[in-house]
Amino acid sequence: MAEKVVIIGSGPAGWAAAIYTSRANLEPLLFEGAATQENYNIGRPPLGQLAITTEVENYPGFPAGPLQQYLTGSIDKKLQYLMNEDAGHGISGPNLMLLMKQQAINFGTRTRTEDITTVDFSSRPFKLTTEGGEVIEAHAVIVATGARANYLGLESENRFKNKGVSACAVCDGALPRFREQPLVVVGGGDSAMEESDYLSKFASKVYVVHRRDEFRASKIMADRVLDNPKIDVKWSTVVDEILGDDEQGVTAVRLRSTKDESQTEELKVSGYFAAIGHTPNTNFLDGQLEMNEKGYVTWTVPFRTNTSVEGVFAAGDVADDNYRQAITAAGSGCMAALDAERWLAAQGHH
Ligand code: NAP
């Protein structure tokens, strides 16, 4: 028998959609992705991007402070234990995701820790094929597979992730390890401008490393960086290697000129921020949903999560190349659940 609704993806958008569709008695089945090393390496693990970050201080409801003081007694024992690790912080990314998952399961969401590898949206019920070759039928689908940050591909980026390497200044920039320290941002687009400007509020110095001698960013954002006395631009330069050790994490970067490859320079920094774009996780869709020029799924009805295929909805970063925050992803997950519920009701599936 076909499922009423299948949710693909296990970040904030997926779990918010699961919480709402469970409470609407739609008995959702959620595919959280396979817990493979490859999925971790490419930045697409189960529980999404927050599973590979550290503290989250900007998710409403989780103020910095000793959480266990006011959460004791309200959550399950395993989570209480995890909470103790968060004393003094908002909450860690992985723990926030575990709480969302638990909340969805408590309302009846069924989960499978597998990838959906192909979909067939050409007729209803839709057909979704798991990595093991099983075909799942669904009357409605919510795609919430997120996006992953692009990295340069250096082995040292992996080695120092969460030890000074980040792809999100807004998430991590205010952490103690980066305060009053020199930092480096790689990229020349609006994200690199925004991130370096943001980091300059906390850092002692910010170096923007860009591979060409002009920015791709809009003039207004580029000017803000060029006029900022705390930011230095390293033009026509790439990061060749991130240096550090297991104890301190990142301590320096080695730069190389793109005009004369024999020219190198070492900069002492305690943080490295990649701002070279994101890639939405849409391969498995094989072009069956309309996408924008950057490959993000398009919402086809203003302020609704409808996609180009009736009965398929999209939520979170897979359809958002602009805000990319946990709270906006969760918000659009809720929207997708309500859109799916109304659409299913109109089709006679309650
Ligand atoms: P982007 O515009 O695609 O810029 C990526 C930057 O990274 C480019 O400067 C590119 O260099 C560089 N880059 C890419 N691959 C690289 C590599 N392997 N090595 C070295 N450098 C590399 O991405 P984005 O900055 O994330 O922006 C994405 C979209 O969001 C844009 O449309 C942007 O306008 C928008 N955005 C808007 C705001 C805002 O308005 N507040 C803020 C952030 C983002 P090249 O220039 O040489 O290609």
Side-chain angles (χ1 to χ4, degrees), residues 216-283:
R216 173 179 298 277
S218 55
K219 187 171 182 321
I220 186 166
M221 301 205 30
D223 283 348
R224 206 172 292 155
V225 162
L226 296 170
D227 292 344
N228 187 326
K230 279 174 96 177
I231 303 179
D232 270 0
V233 182
K234 297 283 183 185
W235 299 105
S236 305
T237 302
V238 288
V239 172
D240 212 23
E241 198 60 88
I242 303 165
L243 308 170
D245 55 57
D246 289 343
E247 200 188 318
Q248 299 176 79
V250 174
T251 55
V253 288
R254 189 172 64 234
L255 306 181
R256 189 175 295 278
S257 163
T258 54
K259 295 208 157 147
D260 173 0
E261 294 210 341
S262 67
Q263 295 260 346
T264 60
E265 179 188 357
E266 221 172 275
L267 279 183
K268 280 202 185 325
V269 293
S270 61
Y272 162 99
F273 290 80
I276 58 171
H278 283 73
T279 302
N281 299 316
T282 54
N283 274 356

Coordinates of all heavy atoms in Angstrom, one line a residue, residues 216-283:
R216 N 33.7 38.8 -7.4 CA 32.4 38.5 -8.1 C 31.2 39.2 -7.4 O 30.2 39.4 -8.0 CB 32.2 36.9 -8.0 CG 30.9 36.4 -8.5 CD 30.8 34.9 -8.4 NE 31.9 34.3 -9.2 CZ 31.8 34.1 -10.6 NH1 30.7 34.4 -11.2 NH2 32.7 33.5 -11.2
A217 N 31.5 39.5 -6.1 CA 30.4 40.1 -5.3 C 29.9 41.4 -5.8 O 30.5 42.1 -6.6 CB 31.0 40.3 -3.9
S218 N 28.6 41.7 -5.4 CA 28.0 43.0 -5.8 C 28.9 44.1 -5.3 O 29.6 44.0 -4.2 CB 26.6 43.1 -5.2 OG 26.7 42.9 -3.8
K219 N 28.8 45.3 -6.0 CA 29.7 46.4 -5.6 C 29.5 46.9 -4.2 O 30.5 47.1 -3.4 CB 29.5 47.6 -6.6 CG 30.5 48.7 -6.4 CD 30.5 49.7 -7.5 CE 31.5 50.8 -7.4 NZ 31.8 51.2 -6.0
I220 N 28.3 46.9 -3.8 CA 28.0 47.5 -2.4 C 28.6 46.6 -1.3 O 29.2 47.1 -0.4 CB 26.5 47.7 -2.2 CG1 26.2 48.4 -0.9 CG2 25.7 46.4 -2.3 CD1 24.8 48.9 -0.8
M221 N 28.6 45.3 -1.6 CA 29.1 44.4 -0.5 C 30.6 44.3 -0.6 O 31.3 44.3 0.4 CB 28.5 43.0 -0.7 CG 27.0 43.1 -0.5 SD 26.1 41.7 0.0 CE 26.9 40.7 1.0
A222 N 31.2 44.4 -1.9 CA 32.6 44.5 -2.0 C 33.2 45.7 -1.4 O 34.2 45.7 -0.7 CB 33.0 44.4 -3.5
D223 N 32.5 46.9 -1.6 CA 33.0 48.1 -1.0 C 33.0 48.1 0.5 O 33.9 48.6 1.1 CB 32.1 49.3 -1.5 CG 32.4 49.7 -3.0 OD1 33.5 49.2 -3.5 OD2 31.7 50.4 -3.6
R224 N 32.1 47.4 1.1 CA 32.0 47.3 2.5 C 33.3 46.6 3.0 O 33.8 47.0 4.0 CB 30.8 46.6 2.9 CG 30.2 46.9 4.3 CD 28.9 46.3 4.5 NE 27.8 46.8 3.7 CZ 26.7 46.2 3.4 NH1 26.5 45.0 3.8 NH2 25.8 46.8 2.7
V225 N 33.7 45.6 2.3 CA 34.9 44.9 2.7 C 36.1 45.7 2.4 O 37.0 45.8 3.3 CB 34.9 43.5 1.9 CG1 36.3 42.9 1.9 CG2 33.9 42.6 2.5
L226 N 36.2 46.3 1.3 CA 37.4 47.1 0.9 C 37.6 48.3 1.8 O 38.7 48.7 2.1 CB 37.3 47.5 -0.6 CG 37.3 46.4 -1.6 CD1 37.0 46.9 -3.0 CD2 38.7 45.7 -1.6
D227 N 36.5 48.8 2.4 CA 36.5 50.0 3.3 C 36.7 49.6 4.7 O 36.9 50.5 5.6 CB 35.2 50.8 3.2 CG 35.1 51.5 1.8 OD1 36.1 51.5 1.1 OD2 34.0 51.8 1.5
N228 N 36.7 48.3 5.0 CA 36.8 47.8 6.4 C 38.3 47.7 6.8 O 39.0 46.9 6.3 CB 36.1 46.5 6.5 CG 36.0 46.0 8.0 OD1 36.9 46.3 8.8 ND2 34.9 45.3 8.3
P229 N 38.7 48.6 7.8 CA 40.1 48.6 8.1 C 40.6 47.2 8.8 O 41.8 47.0 8.8 CB 40.3 49.7 9.1 CG 38.9 49.9 9.6 CD 37.9 49.5 8.6
K230 N 39.7 46.4 9.2 CA 40.1 45.1 9.8 C 40.2 44.0 8.8 O 40.6 42.9 9.1 CB 39.1 44.7 10.9 CG 39.4 45.4 12.2 CD 38.3 45.1 13.2 CE 38.7 44.0 14.2 NZ 37.6 43.7 15.2
I231 N 39.9 44.3 7.5 CA 39.9 43.3 6.5 C 41.0 43.6 5.5 O 41.1 44.7 5.0 CB 38.6 43.1 5.8 CG1 37.5 42.8 6.8 CG2 38.7 42.0 4.7 CD1 36.1 42.7 6.2
D232 N 41.9 42.6 5.2 CA 42.9 42.7 4.2 C 42.5 41.7 3.1 O 42.2 40.5 3.4 CB 44.3 42.3 4.7 CG 45.0 43.4 5.3 OD1 44.5 44.6 5.2 OD2 46.2 43.2 5.7
V233 N 42.6 42.1 1.8 CA 42.3 41.1 0.7 C 43.7 40.6 0.1 O 44.6 41.4 -0.1 CB 41.5 41.8 -0.4 CG1 41.2 40.8 -1.5 CG2 40.3 42.4 0.2
K234 N 43.7 39.3 0.0 CA 44.9 38.7 -0.7 C 44.4 38.3 -2.1 O 43.7 37.3 -2.3 CB 45.3 37.4 0.1 CG 45.8 37.7 1.5 CD 47.2 38.3 1.5 CE 47.8 38.5 2.8 NZ 49.1 39.2 2.8
W235 N 44.7 39.2 -3.0 CA 44.2 39.0 -4.4 C 45.0 37.9 -5.1 O 46.2 37.7 -4.8 CB 44.4 40.3 -5.2 CG 43.6 41.5 -4.7 CD1 44.1 42.5 -4.0 CD2 42.2 41.7 -4.8 NE1 43.0 43.4 -3.7 CE2 41.9 42.9 -4.2 CE3 41.1 40.9 -5.4 CZ2 40.6 43.4 -4.1 CZ3 39.8 41.4 -5.3 CH2 39.6 42.7 -4.7
S236 N 44.4 37.3 -6.1 CA 45.1 36.3 -7.0 C 45.8 35.3 -6.1 O 47.0 35.0 -6.4 CB 46.0 37.0 -8.0 OG 45.3 38.0 -8.7
T237 N 45.1 34.8 -5.2 CA 45.8 33.9 -4.2 C 44.8 32.7 -3.9 O 43.6 32.9 -3.8 CB 46.1 34.7 -2.9 OG1 47.0 35.8 -3.3 CG2 46.8 33.8 -1.9
V238 N 45.4 31.6 -3.6 CA 44.6 30.4 -3.2 C 45.2 29.9 -1.9 O 46.4 30.1 -1.6 CB 44.5 29.3 -4.2 CG1 43.6 29.7 -5.4 CG2 45.9 28.9 -4.7
V239 N 44.4 29.2 -1.1 CA 44.9 28.5 0.1 C 45.4 27.1 -0.4 O 44.7 26.3 -1.0 CB 43.8 28.3 1.1 CG1 44.3 27.4 2.3 CG2 43.4 29.6 1.7
D240 N 46.6 26.9 -0.2 CA 47.3 25.7 -0.6 C 47.2 24.6 0.4 O 47.1 23.4 0.1 CB 48.8 26.1 -0.7 CG 49.5 25.3 -1.8 OD1 48.8 24.9 -2.7 OD2 50.7 25.2 -1.7
E241 N 47.3 25.0 1.7 CA 47.2 24.1 2.8 C 46.8 24.8 4.1 O 47.1 26.0 4.3 CB 48.6 23.5 3.0 CG 48.7 22.2 3.8 CD 47.9 21.1 3.2 OE1 48.5 20.4 2.3 OE2 46.7 20.9 3.5
I242 N 46.1 24.0 4.9 CA 45.7 24.5 6.3 C 46.7 23.9 7.2 O 46.8 22.6 7.2 CB 44.3 24.2 6.6 CG1 43.3 24.8 5.6 CG2 43.9 24.8 8.0 CD1 41.9 24.3 5.6
L243 N 47.3 24.6 8.1 CA 48.3 24.1 9.0 C 47.8 24.1 10.4 O 47.0 25.0 10.8 CB 49.6 24.9 8.9 CG 50.1 25.1 7.5 CD1 51.2 26.2 7.4 CD2 50.6 23.8 6.9
G244 N 48.2 23.2 11.2 CA 47.8 23.1 12.6 C 48.2 21.8 13.2 O 49.0 21.0 12.7
D245 N 47.6 21.6 14.4 CA 47.9 20.3 15.1 C 46.6 19.9 15.8 O 45.7 20.6 15.9 CB 49.1 20.4 16.0 CG 48.9 21.5 17.1 OD1 47.9 21.4 17.8 OD2 49.7 22.4 17.1
D246 N 46.6 18.6 16.3 CA 45.4 18.1 16.8 C 44.9 18.8 18.1 O 43.8 18.9 18.4 CB 45.6 16.6 17.2 CG 45.7 15.7 15.9 OD1 45.2 16.3 14.8 OD2 46.2 14.6 16.0
E247 N 45.9 19.4 18.8 CA 45.5 20.0 20.1 C 44.9 21.4 19.8 O 43.8 21.7 20.3 CB 46.8 20.2 20.9 CG 46.5 20.4 22.4 CD 47.7 20.7 23.2 OE1 48.8 20.0 22.9 OE2 47.7 21.6 24.0
Q248 N 45.6 22.2 19.0 CA 45.1 23.6 18.8 C 44.2 23.8 17.6 O 43.6 24.8 17.5 CB 46.3 24.5 18.6 CG 47.3 24.6 19.7 CD 48.5 25.5 19.3 OE1 48.4 26.7 19.3 NE2 49.6 24.8 18.8
G249 N 44.1 22.8 16.8 CA 43.4 22.9 15.5 C 44.2 23.8 14.6 O 45.4 23.8 14.5
V250 N 43.4 24.7 13.8 CA 44.1 25.5 12.8 C 45.0 26.6 13.5 O 44.6 27.2 14.4 CB 43.0 26.3 12.0 CG1 43.7 27.2 11.0 CG2 42.1 25.3 11.2
T251 N 46.2 26.7 13.0 CA 47.1 27.7 13.5 C 47.6 28.6 12.4 O 48.1 29.7 12.6 CB 48.4 27.1 14.1 OG1 49.0 26.2 13.2 CG2 48.0 26.3 15.4
A252 N 47.5 28.2 11.1 CA 48.0 29.0 10.0 C 47.5 28.5 8.7 O 46.9 27.3 8.6 CB 49.6 29.0 10.0
V253 N 47.6 29.2 7.6 CA 47.4 28.7 6.3 C 48.6 29.1 5.4 O 49.2 30.1 5.6 CB 46.1 29.3 5.6 CG1 44.8 28.8 6.3 CG2 46.1 30.9 5.6
R254 N 48.8 28.2 4.4 CA 49.8 28.5 3.4 C 49.1 29.0 2.1 O 48.2 28.3 1.6 CB 50.7 27.3 3.1 CG 51.9 27.7 2.2 CD 52.9 26.5 2.1 NE 52.3 25.4 1.4 CZ 52.3 24.2 1.9 NH1 52.8 23.9 3.1 NH2 51.7 23.2 1.2
L255 N 49.5 30.2 1.7 CA 48.8 30.7 0.5 C 49.8 30.5 -0.7 O 51.0 30.5 -0.6 CB 48.6 32.2 0.7 CG 47.8 32.6 1.9 CD1 47.5 34.1 1.9 CD2 46.4 31.9 1.9
R256 N 49.2 30.5 -1.9 CA 50.0 30.4 -3.1 C 49.4 31.4 -4.2 O 48.2 31.5 -4.3 CB 50.0 29.0 -3.7 CG 51.0 28.8 -4.8 CD 51.0 27.3 -5.3 NE 51.5 26.4 -4.2 CZ 52.8 26.2 -4.0 NH1 53.7 26.8 -4.7 NH2 53.2 25.3 -3.1
S257 N 50.3 32.1 -4.8 CA 49.8 33.1 -5.8 C 49.3 32.3 -7.1 O 49.9 31.3 -7.5 CB 51.0 34.0 -6.2 OG 50.7 34.6 -7.4
T258 N 48.2 32.8 -7.7 CA 47.7 32.2 -8.9 C 48.4 32.8 -10.1 O 48.3 32.3 -11.2 CB 46.2 32.4 -9.1 OG1 45.9 33.8 -9.0 CG2 45.4 31.6 -8.0
K259 N 49.2 33.9 -9.9 CA 49.9 34.5 -11.0 C 51.3 33.9 -11.1 O 51.9 33.9 -12.2 CB 50.0 36.0 -10.8 CG 48.6 36.6 -10.9 CD 48.6 38.0 -11.3 CE 47.3 38.4 -11.9 NZ 46.9 39.8 -11.7
D260 N 51.9 33.5 -10.0 CA 53.3 33.0 -10.0 C 53.3 31.9 -8.9 O 53.4 32.2 -7.7 CB 54.3 34.1 -9.6 CG 55.7 33.5 -9.5 OD1 55.8 32.3 -9.6 OD2 56.6 34.3 -9.2
E261 N 53.1 30.6 -9.4 CA 52.9 29.5 -8.4 C 54.1 29.3 -7.5 O 54.0 28.6 -6.5 CB 52.6 28.3 -9.2 CG 51.2 28.4 -9.9 CD 50.5 27.1 -10.1 OE1 51.2 26.0 -10.0 OE2 49.3 27.1 -10.3
S262 N 55.2 29.9 -7.8 CA 56.4 29.7 -6.9 C 56.3 30.6 -5.7 O 57.0 30.4 -4.7 CB 57.7 30.0 -7.7 OG 57.8 31.3 -8.0
Q263 N 55.4 31.5 -5.7 CA 55.2 32.5 -4.6 C 54.3 31.9 -3.5 O 53.1 31.7 -3.8 CB 54.6 33.8 -5.1 CG 55.4 34.6 -6.1 CD 56.2 35.7 -5.4 OE1 55.8 36.0 -4.3 NE2 57.2 36.3 -6.0
T264 N 54.8 31.7 -2.4 CA 53.9 31.2 -1.3 C 54.1 32.1 -0.1 O 55.1 32.9 0.0 CB 54.3 29.8 -0.8 OG1 55.6 29.8 -0.4 CG2 54.0 28.8 -1.9
E265 N 53.1 32.1 0.8 CA 53.2 32.9 2.0 C 52.5 32.2 3.1 O 51.5 31.5 2.9 CB 52.4 34.2 1.7 CG 52.4 35.2 2.9 CD 51.5 36.4 2.6 OE1 50.9 36.5 1.5 OE2 51.3 37.2 3.5
E266 N 52.9 32.3 4.4 CA 52.2 31.6 5.5 C 51.6 32.7 6.3 O 52.2 33.7 6.7 CB 53.3 30.8 6.3 CG 52.7 29.5 6.8 CD 53.7 28.6 7.4 OE1 54.5 27.9 6.7 OE2 53.8 28.7 8.7
L267 N 50.3 32.5 6.6 CA 49.6 33.5 7.5 C 49.2 32.8 8.8 O 48.6 31.7 8.7 CB 48.3 33.9 6.8 CG 48.2 35.0 5.7 CD1 46.8 35.2 5.3 CD2 48.9 36.3 6.2
K268 N 49.5 33.4 9.9 CA 49.0 32.9 11.2 C 47.6 33.2 11.4 O 47.2 34.4 11.4 CB 49.9 33.5 12.3 CG 51.2 32.9 12.5 CD 51.7 33.2 13.9 CE 53.2 32.7 14.1 NZ 53.5 31.5 13.4
V269 N 46.7 32.2 11.4 CA 45.3 32.4 11.6 C 44.8 31.3 12.5 O 45.4 30.2 12.6 CB 44.5 32.4 10.3 CG1 44.8 33.6 9.5 CG2 44.6 31.1 9.6
S270 N 43.7 31.5 13.3 CA 43.1 30.4 14.0 C 41.8 29.9 13.5 O 41.2 29.0 14.1 CB 43.0 30.8 15.5 OG 42.1 31.9 15.6
G271 N 41.4 30.5 12.4 CA 40.2 30.0 11.7 C 40.2 30.1 10.2 O 40.9 31.1 9.7
Y272 N 39.6 29.2 9.6 CA 39.5 29.2 8.1 C 38.0 29.0 7.7 O 37.4 28.0 8.1 CB 40.4 28.0 7.6 CG 40.1 27.5 6.2 CD1 40.9 27.9 5.1 CD2 39.0 26.7 5.9 CE1 40.6 27.5 3.8 CE2 38.8 26.2 4.6 CZ 39.6 26.6 3.6 OH 39.3 26.2 2.3
F273 N 37.5 29.9 7.0 CA 36.1 29.9 6.6 C 36.0 29.8 5.0 O 36.5 30.6 4.3 CB 35.3 31.1 7.0 CG 35.2 31.2 8.5 CD1 36.2 31.6 9.4 CD2 34.0 30.8 9.1 CE1 36.0 31.6 10.7 CE2 33.8 30.8 10.5 CZ 34.8 31.2 11.3
A274 N 35.4 28.6 4.6 CA 35.2 28.5 3.1 C 33.9 29.2 2.8 O 32.9 28.9 3.4 CB 35.1 27.0 2.8
A275 N 34.0 30.1 1.8 CA 32.7 30.8 1.4 C 32.7 30.7 -0.2 O 32.7 31.7 -0.9 CB 32.7 32.2 1.9
I276 N 32.8 29.5 -0.7 CA 32.9 29.3 -2.1 C 31.6 28.6 -2.7 O 31.7 27.9 -3.7 CB 34.2 28.5 -2.5 CG1 34.2 27.2 -1.9 CG2 35.4 29.3 -2.2 CD1 35.3 26.3 -2.4
G277 N 30.5 28.9 -2.1 CA 29.2 28.4 -2.6 C 28.8 27.1 -1.9 O 29.5 26.5 -1.1
H278 N 27.5 26.8 -2.3 CA 26.9 25.5 -1.8 C 26.4 24.7 -3.0 O 26.2 25.3 -4.0 CB 25.7 25.8 -0.9 CG 26.1 26.3 0.5 ND1 26.7 27.5 0.8 CD2 26.1 25.6 1.7 CE1 26.9 27.6 2.1 NE2 26.6 26.4 2.7
T279 N 26.2 23.4 -2.7 CA 25.6 22.5 -3.8 C 24.4 21.9 -3.2 O 24.5 21.1 -2.2 CB 26.7 21.5 -4.2 OG1 27.8 22.1 -4.6 CG2 26.1 20.6 -5.3
P280 N 23.2 22.1 -3.8 CA 22.0 21.4 -3.3 C 22.1 19.9 -3.6 O 22.6 19.5 -4.6 CB 20.9 22.1 -4.1 CG 21.5 22.6 -5.3 CD 22.9 23.0 -4.9
N281 N 21.5 19.1 -2.6 CA 21.5 17.7 -2.8 C 20.3 17.2 -3.6 O 19.3 16.8 -3.1 CB 21.5 17.0 -1.4 CG 22.7 17.4 -0.6 OD1 23.8 17.5 -1.1 ND2 22.5 17.8 0.7
T282 N 20.5 17.2 -4.9 CA 19.4 17.0 -5.8 C 19.7 15.9 -6.9 O 18.9 15.7 -7.8 CB 19.0 18.3 -6.6 OG1 20.2 18.8 -7.2 CG2 18.4 19.3 -5.7
N283 N 20.9 15.3 -6.8 CA 21.2 14.3 -7.8 C 20.2 13.2 -8.0 O 19.9 12.9 -9.1 CB 22.6 13.6 -7.5 CG 23.8 14.4 -7.9 OD1 23.6 15.4 -8.6 ND2 25.0 14.0 -7.6

